[in-house]
Amino acid sequence: MNKKIIKMFMGVLLIANILVPGYALDKSKNNIDQLQIDKFTGWYFDKEKGVNEYYKDGNIISNGWFQINEKWYYFKTDGAMATGWLNLNNNWYYLNKNGTLQTGWLQDSVGKWYYLNSDGTMMHDATTPDGYKIGSDGVWIK
């Protein structure tokens, strides 16, 4: 009887490993068969590269924007999640330490304020919706 309960519990843990969003897969362990890895959707921290990656149906997301749980992330060509300032097609974006695209007001580590439009692009040479002037470098002109 106890062996049956343990097997059921291990099965639940295995399913949780595959289906729970935000649960990281450890590809270095051989306790999950290849079929389950091929279906994996979720975050994975690559210890060798030191980066976060995201998999959907067993495929790494790379080279572009991807929405996860109503938040936008950018993944580089190697699949690494981008953080910090990102320049794409002459537009600047800011992704926080968790990789989430930021919008609205942003203060940097030295106290400068930037305004990021609703699509995440940094505003420059313009006036914000709340009436503040933004310079060519994207910084609020006090």
Side-chain angles (χ1 to χ4, degrees):
M1 183 70 162
N2 286 339
K3 286 183 182 181
K4 234 181 186 179
I5 292 171
I6 290 171
K7 283 184 179 180
M8 282 179 32
F9 181 69
M10 293 304 288
V12 168
L13 288 178
L14 185 58
I15 290 168
N17 187 22
I18 302 302
L19 300 178
V20 176
Y23 187 88
L25 172 67
D26 186 348
K27 292 190 292 188
S28 66
K29 295 185 179 175
N30 294 321
N31 61 350
I32 301 172
D33 66 37
Q34 188 61 44
L35 177 62
Q36 291 165 325
I37 290 172
D38 290 345
K39 294 180 180 180
F40 177 70
T41 295
W43 289 101
Y44 169 69
F45 181 75
D46 188 320
K47 292 177 186 175
E48 290 179 15
K49 294 192 286 184
V51 297
N52 285 306
E53 299 170 337
Y54 192 81
Y55 284 77
K56 177 146 177 69
D57 299 327
N59 297 306
I60 190 168
I61 301 300
S62 63
N63 203 31
W65 294 102
F66 192 73
Q67 189 176 28
I68 303 166
N69 297 327
E70 299 181 21
K71 296 180 181 178
W72 285 98
Y73 299 84
Y74 187 84
F75 294 92
K76 300 175 186 178
T77 54
D78 66 353
M81 178 189 73
T83 60
W85 286 106
L86 176 68
N87 188 318
L88 295 173
N89 302 320
N90 295 317
N91 286 308
W92 284 98
Y93 301 86
Y94 186 81
L95 300 118
N96 70 17
K97 65 182 178 179
N98 297 321
T100 305
L101 176 67
Q102 299 299 284
T103 60
W105 285 103
L106 171 73
Q107 186 177 28
D108 71 9
S109 60
V110 295
K112 293 180 181 178
W113 285 94
Y114 299 84
Y115 187 82
L116 306 170
N117 295 307
S118 61
D119 65 356
T121 56
M122 181 188 75
M123 182 179 280
H124 59 87
D125 297 310
T127 302
T128 65
D130 47 358
Y132 295 93
K133 297 280 185 202
I134 304 296
S136 61
D137 59 356
V139 176
W140 169 40
I141 301 171
K142 295 181 182 181

